[in-house]
Amino acid sequence: MTDTPLLKVSGVSKFYGSRIGCKDVSFELWPGEVLAIVGESGSGKTTLLNCLSTRLMPTAGSVEYRMRDGNFRDLYHMSEAERRFLMRTDWGFVHQNPADGLRMTVSAGANVGERLMAVGDRHYGKIRETASDWLTRVEIGTDRIDDQPRAFSGGMRQRLQIARNLVTGPRLVFMDEPTGGLDVSVQARLLDLVRGLVNDLGLSAIVVTHDLAVARLLSHRMMVMKDGHVIEHGLTDRVLDDPREPYTQLLVSSILQV
Amino acid sequence: MATPLVVSEVFKSFTMHLRDGIKLPVVNDVNFSVASGECVVLGGPSGIGKSSILKMLYGNYAVDAGQILVDHKDRIVDIARADPRTVLDVRRHTLGYVSQFLRTVPRVSALDVVAEPLVARGIAAPEARDKAAELLAKLNLPQELWTLPPATFSGGEQQRVNIARGFITSHRILLLDEPTASLDAINRRVVVEMIADKKREGVALLGIFHDEEVREAVADRVLDVSQFSPRKAVAA
Ligand SMILES: Nc1ncnc2c1ncn2[C@@H]1O[C@H](COP(=O)(O)OP(=O)(O)OP(=O)(O)O)[C@@H](O)[C@H]1O
Ligand SMILES: Nc1ncnc2c1ncn2[C@@H]1O[C@H](COP(=O)(O)OP(=O)(O)OP(=O)(O)O)[C@@H](O)[C@H]1O
Ligand SMILES: [Mg+2]
Ligand SMILES: [Mg+2]
């Protein structure tokens, strides 16, 4: 076990006017750890995820991230350029709707290659080779490399988005409902893929989902949100098998079996 | 003799918030320990709290009060208070658990399900798979099933996958929740032998076995969980 966290979150709150987005959230994320954020619609999951990934500026609080040189940096006090670089290289962000994370009018290969070019890769042949490797890893036939994602099914688009995010070897990946719009059978395949990649690459991830089965399968640790607050937090199987809070018991009891 | 597991003054109840918040006490003041090379069996009637005790030891159920001390990497960890990361590390290296039913993961083969705890400890996949194959063969799981995901297996087949997964590592402590319940006589005997091997290796075992014959064969002592029942205390 390494004894330094990757992310230190303290007192993060976001208000939309007088409406609470999320309130006073604190936790640490460790290397190789997958944290699931669950809760009903409107509970503040996306707001929190966007604050953590600096896509949104919180009203209060701080998030410190351990850079590759081992030093912690306060994300909200970085320059815009530094933050963008981090997002393009060290982090991934998987959107619920693949169209938000992909460029729909360039080829699958270019979607993956673009991230490599952002980190300074210039050799066309090598970029194409890496892109083609990654398409294989996410189970997209390499004969589809020149097709645009517009021509892909929802499941394929989501797998392409994952390849695009992971190709630069990020250390931290944010995912917002990664299996949201997909059929159940397509979901299972995607989950299995994500689980394998997270294990193999030793990634840390924060996954927002309202699906407790997804949380069970992917995460080590779970946070339950209600009305913007984290109401329960613990080892995933503990929270699911012995929920303590009334709201968590309600959530767990409203599904058949997880 | 080393004592890698000590349970001290443990209390457990469930509060059912969806049922008007009624409180269901399960066990009070649980005290016992398990030594290396010993197999302790939890006894007592259905619903008395045997599985709940195992689940608390594994960090799967929360603990109201008390301590669960585990000898982990040359230090003592209190599972009742440890953070999730520590509990997972204890599970990876020290504490194994065979649940009553296998939780299947879509698309992962039986062989990989069994090999996974070794891979998680950093052992190369081919070596881990060899060991997994050895165990599945010992448990008489038909070889044509090894590459299939266990979701469609029979109860007894799934349970053998589960047992192989629990026994593949050399964890110092092993928790067993009715591992033989859905097995035939031949495979029950295989499991009895596997438990005897673990004892010889100095593993501390804590199990639940309804089958009289299995219990006779493996138990060094039986701990009656009724003595921790709050209902008994009320009746007395
Ligand atoms: N840009 C915004 N302006 C005003 N209110 C907002 C804005 N974004 C979110 N909210 C409000 O903040 C609260 C939390 O929203 P958020 O999107 O974080 O919820 P969520 O948990 O992700 O829900 P879902 O599961 O439906 O995606 C909601 O009440 C929402 O209406
Ligand atoms: N997650 C839970 N939530 C609420 N109550 C629970 C939970 N798990 C167990 N219980 C209750 O705790 C009591 C003890 O259950 P437990 O499963 O530990 O019994 P057991 O001794 O293992 O029984 P059996 O021999 O039938 O397996 C039972 O009344 C059970 O209903
Ligand atoms: Mg959302
Ligand atoms: Mg039981």
Side-chain angles (χ1 to χ4, degrees):
Chain A
M1 288 207 303
T2 39
D3 29 28
T4 329
L6 190 63
L7 201 66
K8 295 197 264 191
V9 179
S10 37
V12 168
S13 301
K14 172 72 189 176
F15 293 90
Y16 300 104
S18 61
R19 183 194 286 271
I20 295 179
C22 65
K23 180 97 196 290
D24 200 18
V25 179
S26 303
F27 68 92
E28 289 178 341
L29 186 76
W30 300 78
E33 201 172 44
V34 179
L35 170 73
I37 303 175
V38 307
E40 68 193 351
S41 180
S43 58
K45 306 181 296 294
T46 297
T47 299
L48 176 60
L49 193 75
N50 286 342
C51 286
L52 300 176
S53 60
T54 72
R55 295 159 49 81
L56 200 62
M57 281 295 140
T59 314
S62 77
V63 178
E64 287 181 275
Y65 179 69
R66 183 158 54 80
M67 308 292 282
R68 285 184 193 249
D69 64 10
N71 293 321
F72 278 97
R73 295 287 307 277
D74 185 338
L75 293 178
Y76 303 137
H77 290 102
M78 274 182 173
S79 73
E80 186 61 29
E82 277 180 301
R83 227 170 11 232
R84 278 190 180 288
F85 186 71
L86 206 59
M87 282 174 136
R88 275 207 310 259
T89 59
D90 227 26
W91 293 358
F93 197 105
V94 176
H95 298 260
Q96 171 170 5
N97 182 354
D100 295 335
L102 290 172
R103 292 224 286 142
M104 298 304 278
T105 54
V106 305
S107 72
N111 261 290
V112 178
E114 220 173 38
R115 283 266 297 195
L116 284 173
M117 284 163 65
V119 295
D121 250 320
R122 286 292 173 266
H123 188 283
Y124 175 78
K126 224 155 122 201
I127 290 174
R128 193 172 165 88
E129 194 187 309
T130 310
S132 142
D133 268 2
W134 266 96
L135 291 183
T136 310
R137 280 183 93 157
V138 299
E139 304 172 13
I140 295 174
T142 46
D143 57 327
R144 306 299 300 270
I145 192 167
D146 295 318
D147 292 352
Q148 293 177 5
R150 281 194 301 193
F152 287 0
S153 69
M156 283 172 78
R157 286 181 190 179
Q158 198 54 301
R159 297 203 298 278
L160 179 63
Q161 195 191 176
I162 286 165
R164 176 179 161 97
N165 273 281
L166 297 189
V167 68
T168 53
R171 295 194 297 157
L172 174 59
V173 178
F174 301 93
M175 300 188 207
D176 196 352
E177 304 277 5
T179 58
L182 304 173
D183 284 350
V184 176
S185 64
V186 179
Q187 274 188 25
R189 185 169 175 197
L190 189 79
L191 282 175
D192 178 43
L193 181 81
V194 171
R195 214 175 71 95
L197 289 170
V198 167
N199 279 341
D200 293 350
L201 306 173
L203 293 175
S204 303
I206 302 180
V207 184
V208 163
T209 179
H210 63 264
D211 186 339
L212 299 184
V214 169
R216 163 92 76 183
L217 207 58
L218 288 184
S219 72
H220 302 112
R221 207 150 50 101
M222 211 168 109
M223 244 159 51
V224 182
M225 293 190 73
K226 184 178 192 304
D227 302 330
H229 298 260
V230 173
I231 55 145
E232 188 159 357
H233 186 183
L235 193 66
T236 297
D237 62 85
R238 202 285 294 156
V239 174
L240 291 175
D241 295 338
D242 184 12
R244 318 293 286 167
E245 292 298 317
Y247 177 69
T248 317
Q249 291 188 357
L250 183 66
L251 264 191
V252 170
S253 72
S254 16
I255 39 168
L256 290 174
Q257 203 206 8
V258 284
Chain B
M1 199 161 39
T3 307
L5 176 65
V6 177
V7 177
S8 166
E9 297 172 5
V10 163
F11 287 70
K12 175 68 184 169
S13 63
F14 293 101
T15 304
M16 322 285 263
H17 291 290
L18 307 180
R19 301 249 156 69
D20 301 324
I22 57 163
K23 196 170 162 187
L24 179 76
V26 180
V27 286
N28 279 358
D29 201 16
V30 181
N31 289 283
F32 68 91
S33 61
V34 185
S36 295
E38 183 185 34
C39 180
V40 175
V41 171
L42 297 179
S46 176
I48 202 73
K50 304 181 294 296
S51 296
S52 298
I53 291 177
L54 288 194
K55 288 174 181 175
M56 284 191 282
L57 302 192
Y58 198 57
N60 178 227
Y61 277 5
V63 174
D64 296 352
Q67 293 179 305
I68 294 168
L69 305 177
V70 169
D71 190 351
H72 172 63
K73 292 180 172 170
D74 296 323
R75 67 192 178 99
I76 303 293
V77 171
D78 181 1
I79 296 287
R81 251 163 292 276
D83 63 14
R85 203 167 71 98
T86 306
V87 173
L88 289 176
D89 200 59
V90 169
R91 290 180 182 180
R92 195 150 43 235
H93 295 281
T94 304
L95 188 62
Y97 172 56
V98 177
S99 55
Q100 196 172 350
F101 301 101
L102 178 70
R103 188 176 285 286
T104 59
V105 176
R107 302 220 309 161
V108 182
S109 74
L111 207 56
D112 285 336
V113 169
V114 175
E116 201 258 340
L118 281 186
V119 175
R121 298 189 63 168
I123 290 164
E127 191 186 323
R129 282 206 192 99
D130 284 350
K131 183 86 189 288
E134 200 182 293
L135 279 164
L136 290 176
K138 190 187 253 180
L139 286 157
N140 303 304
L141 191 79
Q143 194 161 352
E144 56 275 21
L145 296 182
W146 295 4
T147 54
L148 300 177
T152 57
F153 292 7
S154 75
E157 287 163 352
Q158 291 197 1
Q159 187 56 335
R160 279 177 277 160
V161 171
N162 210 15
I163 292 167
R165 181 182 159 90
F167 278 73
I168 196 168
T169 48
S170 40
H171 285 359
R172 299 186 59 195
I173 308 168
L174 196 50
L175 310 173
L176 307 170
D177 196 344
E178 305 197 36
T180 56
S182 42
L183 301 186
D184 58 24
I186 294 174
N187 287 306
R188 272 206 300 273
R189 244 168 274 139
V190 174
V191 175
V192 167
E193 272 169 43
M194 286 168 65
I195 291 172
D197 287 343
K198 287 286 183 197
K199 289 209 286 192
R200 272 192 293 276
E201 289 162 21
V203 174
L205 293 117
L206 179 67
I208 303 168
F209 301 93
H210 277 159
D211 185 277
E212 195 77 40
E213 201 185 310
V214 174
R215 187 164 30 188
E216 291 288 298
V218 301
D220 292 299
R221 71 196 152 92
V222 175
L223 190 72
D224 186 357
V225 173
S226 316
Q227 66 184 296
F228 309 124
S229 172
R231 271 162 275 175
K232 186 204 74 175
V234 170

